[in-house]
Amino acid sequence: MIKKIIPMLLLLPISVFGAENQGIESANYETSIDFSNSKYRDAYALSAVANLPIDKKFAANLMARYSDSNGKSFSGGRGFDSTSSSLFAMLFIRDQTTGKAGAALAYTKSEHDYPASLSSFKNQETKGYSIYGQFYLDNLTLFAARAYSENNNDFSRYTSNAGLAIYLPANTGISLAGLRANQETDYSLAITHQPSFLNNNAGVTFSYIRDSDNSDFDSISLSFSYYFGTRASLIDRDRKYR
C-alpha cells in the first residue's frame, strides 16, 4: 500500500500548485467528545478544532485536546490512571479535486498514576513532528503519514501509517488503516455517519483498533462531533472544510 501511495504523494504538490481551489472553503470549527474502552482502562477525551484558510491553496488546522483515563482491575493487576493535555498545529496545501499534503507539530503534557518505582515517568512532555498526504479518487481517499516523537524521558520513536477511506451514500464513511511502530503493526476500522435529522451539523464515529501483537490491548471508541460554521456532506467536509 505504501509503495503505491508514495508516487502519488510526490506528484501531489505539482498538481496543487497549478490549481485554483482553496485549501479550506471558509473558516469553521468543531468540538467532540470521545469515549473509549479496553481491557485495561476506560477513557474519555474532549477536543476543539479550528479549520482556517490562509489563501487559495494553503490552510491550517489547530486543535486542543484533553483526555482522562481510568485504569481497570484485571487478573494479574490494574491499569494506571492518567490525564493528558495536547496541542496540535497542521499546515497544508490542497487541491480539492486531487488531494493535500502537509506537516504537523504536536505537544502533549501527561500525568500518570504510576507506583513509586516508576516515579520518574509520572510526568511526561512529548513533542511530535509529522508529514502526511492524501490523494482523492472519486469517492475514495488514500492517505499516508510519517511521524517522529520524543519525550523528556529520552524515549523516541518513528511511526508510519497508511490506509484508505471510502464514502458511501447517506453521509457515511468507512476508513481502514495500518499503523507501524516499534516493529509492531496495529490496524484500525472507523465508521463515520452524519445523521440527516441533524442537518449535517453533527457526526458520530465508531472505531476499533486491533493490536496485532497482543489482543488484550484492542480497544473500541465512540465519538460525537458538532460542527460550527458549515453544513456540508461528509465527503465535502473532509475535502473542503478540514
Side-chain angles (χ1 to χ4, degrees):
M1 174 67 75
I2 293 178
K3 291 182 179 179
K4 293 181 180 179
I5 293 176
I6 288 177
M8 291 185 286
L9 296 182
L10 294 176
L11 292 173
L12 181 56
I14 298 175
S15 302
V16 171
F17 277 110
E20 296 181 355
N21 290 338
Q22 292 182 333
I24 285 180
E25 289 281 353
S26 61
N28 65 94
Y29 312 90
E30 56 188 275
T31 183
S32 65
I33 181 169
D34 309 282
F35 302 93
S36 62
N37 172 270
S38 69
K39 178 178 178 179
Y40 299 110
R41 60 177 173 262
D42 294 320
Y44 74 89
L46 303 171
S47 61
V49 180
N51 303 303
L52 306 173
I54 297 176
D55 66 8
K56 289 185 177 180
K57 303 177 181 69
F58 287 91
N61 309 121
L62 304 176
M63 182 171 73
R65 180 180 174 88
Y66 171 82
S67 65
D68 188 296
S69 175
N70 297 309
K72 297 194 298 186
S73 298
F74 57 92
S75 58
R78 178 179 174 80
F80 300 112
D81 297 342
S82 66
T83 60
S84 67
S85 300
S86 303
L87 296 173
F88 303 87
M90 290 148 274
L91 176 67
F92 63 87
I93 184 170
R94 168 161 55 195
D95 169 50
Q96 292 176 358
T97 61
T98 305
K100 73 176 183 178
L105 301 175
Y107 172 80
T108 299
K109 185 174 183 180
S110 55
E111 298 181 2
H112 306 277
D113 186 24
Y114 290 155
S117 59
L118 297 174
S119 59
S120 61
F121 298 96
K122 283 189 173 184
N123 300 305
Q124 294 184 6
E125 295 185 20
T126 303
K127 299 176 182 179
Y129 317 87
S130 62
I131 56 174
Y132 63 95
Q134 298 179 356
F135 195 80
Y136 306 150
L137 295 169
D138 295 325
N139 65 334
L140 184 70
T141 295
L142 305 178
F143 57 86
R146 176 71 168 171
Y148 170 78
S149 63
E150 58 184 13
N151 64 25
N152 57 319
N153 290 307
D154 297 322
F155 174 80
S156 63
R157 70 173 183 172
Y158 287 94
T159 59
S160 301
N161 72 8
L164 59 86
I166 184 169
Y167 297 90
L168 305 175
N171 276 332
T172 299
I174 299 176
S175 174
L176 298 169
L179 173 67
R180 181 73 173 172
N182 298 334
Q183 307 302 314
E184 297 178 3
T185 303
D186 294 342
Y187 301 96
S188 66
L189 164 68
I191 302 173
T192 300
H193 178 63
Q194 291 185 175
S196 58
F197 68 88
L198 294 176
N199 297 317
N200 286 330
N201 283 321
V204 58
T205 299
F206 169 82
S207 60
Y208 169 71
I209 298 177
R210 167 68 170 152
D211 189 307
S212 60
D213 185 62
N214 186 346
S215 61
D216 285 344
F217 290 99
D218 291 2
S219 64
I220 59 173
S221 64
L222 188 64
S223 173
F224 299 92
S225 301
Y226 190 84
Y227 312 119
F228 301 88
T230 58
R231 288 186 179 180
S233 65
L234 181 59
I235 188 170
D236 282 347
R237 183 173 303 284
D238 286 346
R239 295 183 178 182
K240 297 180 180 180
Y241 295 98
R242 283 176 166 167

